Amino acid sequence: MSPALRPQGRSVNGGDPQAEERPPAGARHVAIIMDGNGRWAKKRALPRSLGHRAGVNALKRTVEGAAELGLEWMTVFGFSTENWSRPATEIAELMSLLKNYVRSDLARLEAEGARIRVIGRRSDLSPDVLEVIEHAEERTRNNDRFHLQVAFNYGGRADIAEAAGRYAAAIASGAVAPDEVGERAFGRFLSTAEGPPLDLIIRTSGERRLSNFLLWEAAYAELVFQDVLWPDYGPEHLKAALEEFESRERRYGGAEVDDVLAAG
Ligand code: IPE
Ligand code: IPE
Ligand code: MG
């Protein structure tokens, strides 16, 4: 049996406060930094916008594949708080692609039992983008077969800073009791609070950094970097990343499982 699939009882929890949150088997929650659209377009002497459009098709394929592979939660990075530094035409393209993706795929996702959530700062988004987001969330709110979380105008630091503000207010008002103060209580104020713990972060295109994605949640996630450019991505790449995940032994700061078993 691969280490990641070992039953919980055999793992060494030590003093890990999140021990009971661990998935009993393979990955439940996978996040993807969908990177490389620009380089994909450049290689073909196409405008970057066509790279982003091809990236949406890759997202559609990958979401279908994720549900078929039995994943419960997927969080994808669609637009970062730093992406506002791109040219206005590119930003406009990314905004309209989000709208088009939701418009074209919402009915199918809804019928397949997917719940859509969008995380990230909403106040900077235009009313038409907000309307599409709110409509998609509302229409799928009773679904729970598959959870698709889209990080859009999302930054890990901004999310933590905003959560800290709400946390401080909740402590001041007594909504969080003094004896509750700690990691677990704080985590409930993050935009990702409703999902299971993050198991795996995938980044495509060969870059090896988080670029401000899910900083808190990444604490004990496994990281898999794949050289494929995002528009070329699909279920076969996701499957390969999950196989890599399953070959890892997650220790959470504890001792190596086989050493502990040998020591009795
Ligand atoms: C990822 O592709 C999409 C977004 C960041 C929105 P990029 O646009 O970053 O593509 P590269 O990294 O320039 O190739
Ligand atoms: C991260 O990719 C953001 C998204 C995929 C949406 P970037 O392409 O913006 O990240 P950097 O600039 O290479 O770090
Ligand atoms: Mg990039």
Side-chain angles (χ1 to χ4, degrees):
M1 190 189 296
S2 70
L5 292 175
R6 280 181 180 140
Q8 273 186 23
R10 288 189 66 205
S11 60
V12 184
N13 295 345
D16 173 14
Q18 311 223 327
E20 72 269 27
E21 289 178 15
R22 283 185 208 170
R28 291 176 66 196
H29 186 179
V30 172
I32 308 183
I33 302 174
M34 310 183 288
D35 198 16
N37 296 352
R39 277 161 284 168
W40 183 93
K42 193 171 183 182
K43 263 174 54 181
R44 289 162 178 76
L46 295 170
R48 291 177 65 87
S49 59
L50 292 189
H52 293 313
R53 283 183 212 178
V56 172
N57 291 331
L59 177 62
K60 293 181 184 187
R61 291 193 295 272
T62 307
V63 167
E64 287 297 302
E68 278 164 27
L69 287 164
L71 279 182
E72 293 169 45
W73 277 75
M74 197 163 93
T75 302
V76 294
F77 206 2
F79 190 88
S80 77
T81 47
E82 290 71 36
N83 287 149
W84 294 106
S85 65
R86 296 190 179 202
T89 48
E90 182 169 352
I91 293 171
E93 175 72 22
L94 291 166
M95 296 291 153
S96 68
L97 281 178
L98 175 76
K99 288 189 285 180
N100 293 345
Y101 171 63
V102 172
R103 282 191 193 123
S104 71
D105 279 42
L106 180 59
R108 192 174 43 77
L109 287 166
E110 185 187 9
E112 288 170 0
R115 178 162 180 182
I116 299 172
R117 278 190 190 79
V118 179
I119 57 170
R121 189 183 290 146
R122 301 221 172 169
S123 54
D124 305 324
L125 300 176
S126 62
D128 54 332
V129 173
L130 284 176
E131 196 188 312
V132 167
I133 290 173
E134 283 161 11
H135 176 65
E137 290 182 331
E138 182 54 34
R139 278 235 334 238
T140 61
R141 62 197 290 264
N142 294 321
N143 284 348
D144 67 356
R145 235 187 105 224
F146 179 73
H147 296 258
L148 175 63
Q149 194 157 246
V150 182
F152 201 82
N153 193 24
Y154 173 89
R157 286 182 173 179
D159 205 53
I160 292 169
E162 283 163 22
R166 292 191 293 270
Y167 186 53
I171 294 170
S173 73
V176 171
D179 64 351
E180 268 189 283
V181 167
E183 286 182 25
R184 196 177 292 274
F186 180 77
R188 291 201 294 266
F189 290 84
L190 294 165
S191 65
T192 50
E194 284 187 59
L198 185 60
D199 295 310
L200 169 65
I201 298 181
I202 297 167
R203 184 167 187 150
T204 62
S205 89
E207 304 293 359
R208 283 161 169 74
R209 56 178 169 266
L210 289 178
S211 299
N212 201 12
F213 191 41
L214 299 176
L215 300 181
W216 174 278
E217 297 80 355
Y220 270 105
E222 295 295 323
L223 307 178
V224 169
F225 300 103
Q226 293 176 293
D227 287 337
V228 57
L229 299 171
W230 177 251
D232 292 326
Y233 206 82
E236 67 279 21
H237 301 99
L238 180 61
K239 193 161 176 278
L242 290 169
E243 282 165 6
E244 167 66 29
F245 170 82
E246 285 171 9
S247 75
R248 308 267 180 95
E249 184 181 331
R250 303 179 80 190
R251 294 190 202 149
Y252 299 92
E256 196 172 349
V257 172
D258 292 340
D259 289 353
V260 172
L261 290 173

